[in-house]
Amino acid sequence: MTLIDGKATAATIKAEIKQEVENIVAQGGRRPHLAAILVGHDGGSETYVKNKVLACEACGFESTLLRFEDDITEEELLACVSRLNDDPEVDGFIVQLPLPRHINEQRVIEAIDYRKDVDGFHPINVGRMAIGLPCFISATPLGILTLLQHYNVPTRGKKCVILGRSNIVGKPMAQLMMQKQWGDATVTVCHSRSETLKEECRQADILIAAIGQPGFVTADMVKEGAAVIDVGTTRVPDPTRKSGFRLSGDVRFDEVAPRCSFITPVPGGVGPMTICMLMLNTLSAAKKEFYQ
Ligand code: GUN
């Protein structure tokens, strides 16, 4: 069994990004600039955004954090998005999700200029990704694909089962795993209503769990020799920790790991790669790699 080290892989890629940025600056270019909009005080979102700002520093990027209280109106938020769209100093930006209930999330996403949408959530990027055109690909699926490639996990012609159908992970993951230039795999998506979920999982060469239910995947659901990717990062109470919680994956690591050819831990697996891919997308935005 090979433990897939997302933290180390992300550190290597971030060092490569930093080197490229210093080369750009040495040639008189501008540092890539990522802006992040954070609404409210959700603990998870605060941590994610803090880590995104730290990753910008590690990569030699400029970063701007724009903070708003929960009671911001949709109009105010849309006005902020519009300012970032028009700001020539900002290469890319993200609106951290989830947003408060009174704000229409989809409306905000669609207000983002797709050429600055480094999260890859805008329908233009989602659509282009689905048909294999150059675009920003959302960071979690891109991070998983990069890990699979980095560790030479065979995917071509293999059976890949994805647990979860979210817009951020499950759906784009399925699209990319089936595409010839990415996974080139046979893909099945299972979700909370799937009647044959366990049977499907048992046939998977690659099992990607993204349902947000701690410990959902048990040893009896995993084929001997499978590669298991755990996207879950649920906060569960843990009084032995200073923070009062720990992150729990969707996979029961201790019982599943002995059956696997490859497995990602939580934390230190997919999580660090997600932030790293956001940096890569921001570099692509600064270089105008996909759009003018
Ligand atoms: N919330 C959970 N994951 C993400 C992400 O990748 N991007 C944004 N903007 N919000 C998130």
Side-chain angles (χ1 to χ4, degrees):
M1 184 273 289
T2 301
L3 188 67
I4 295 182
D5 189 339
K7 200 172 166 188
T9 310
T12 304
I13 296 171
K14 280 191 283 188
E16 289 166 5
I17 295 172
K18 163 99 172 150
Q19 189 55 55
E20 186 169 347
V21 169
E22 297 313 324
N23 292 345
I24 291 169
V25 172
Q27 286 162 23
R30 199 168 48 69
R31 291 184 185 278
H33 183 177
L34 174 70
I37 298 176
L38 175 60
V39 179
H41 298 274
D42 173 75
S45 293
E46 296 246 13
T47 306
Y48 286 135
V49 170
K50 187 183 81 188
N51 288 335
K52 288 170 185 177
V53 170
L54 288 173
C56 282
E57 285 170 20
C59 294
F61 293 3
E62 302 272 354
S63 68
T64 301
L65 173 56
L66 297 153
R67 295 202 65 137
F68 298 98
E69 292 302 323
D70 292 309
D71 61 358
I72 185 175
T73 65
E74 192 173 296
E75 285 64 37
E76 285 167 327
L77 189 55
L78 290 170
C80 180
V81 167
S82 174
R83 280 195 300 278
L84 291 173
N85 283 342
D86 295 339
D87 187 342
E89 299 292 313
V90 172
D91 297 299
F93 65 98
I94 63 153
V95 180
Q96 187 64 31
L97 306 178
L99 290 169
R101 286 167 52 112
H102 67 277
I103 293 174
N104 182 332
E105 217 160 76
Q106 198 53 34
R107 206 160 152 199
V108 173
I109 289 170
E110 289 185 43
I112 297 171
D113 184 332
Y114 66 93
R115 294 164 298 188
K116 293 190 176 188
D117 169 39
V118 286
D119 259 334
F121 293 169
H122 190 284
I124 289 179
N125 283 310
V126 176
R128 289 178 64 95
M129 181 272 295
I131 55 174
L133 295 176
C135 64
F136 295 110
I137 293 174
S138 57
T140 303
L142 188 57
I144 292 168
L145 287 160
T146 305
L147 280 178
L148 293 172
Q149 287 175 353
H150 191 84
Y151 279 83
N152 293 313
V153 178
T155 61
R156 175 168 298 149
K158 299 296 180 192
K159 181 166 169 79
C160 174
V161 172
I162 296 161
L163 297 180
R165 55 179 158 179
S166 70
N167 289 344
I168 293 183
V169 185
K171 281 185 204 148
M173 195 74 241
Q175 292 282 0
L176 293 163
M177 282 306 288
M178 81 170 78
Q179 275 180 35
K180 204 176 189 123
Q181 69 267 45
W182 290 101
D184 213 5
T186 305
V187 178
T188 303
V189 178
C190 294
H191 49 78
S192 52
R193 302 288 179 196
S194 299
E195 290 180 351
T196 56
L197 186 144
K198 280 199 173 206
E199 292 84 340
E200 293 289 350
C201 287
R202 276 188 213 115
Q203 290 172 34
D205 301 304
I206 303 147
L207 181 61
I208 302 176
I211 35 171
Q213 281 192 44
F216 183 87
V217 176
T218 49
D220 64 318
M221 292 164 69
V222 176
K223 181 165 110 174
E224 192 72 39
V228 175
I229 306 294
D230 191 348
V231 190
T233 49
T234 309
R235 286 180 166 198
V236 297
D238 184 345
T240 69
R241 303 285 175 103
K242 205 168 73 185
S243 61
F245 67 85
R246 65 186 156 81
L247 290 183
S248 175
D250 289 346
V251 177
R252 294 195 194 181
F253 184 91
D254 291 347
E255 62 178 68
V256 169
R259 303 181 67 81
C260 297
S261 54
F262 298 88
I263 188 166
T264 61
V266 175
V270 174
M273 288 300 290
T274 295
I275 293 183
C276 179
M277 294 300 111
L278 178 66
M279 301 299 118
L280 210 50
N281 280 347
T282 305
L283 179 62
S284 296
K287 289 161 68 181
K288 307 224 179 297
E289 218 163 78
F290 307 131
Y291 308 114
Q292 268 312 305

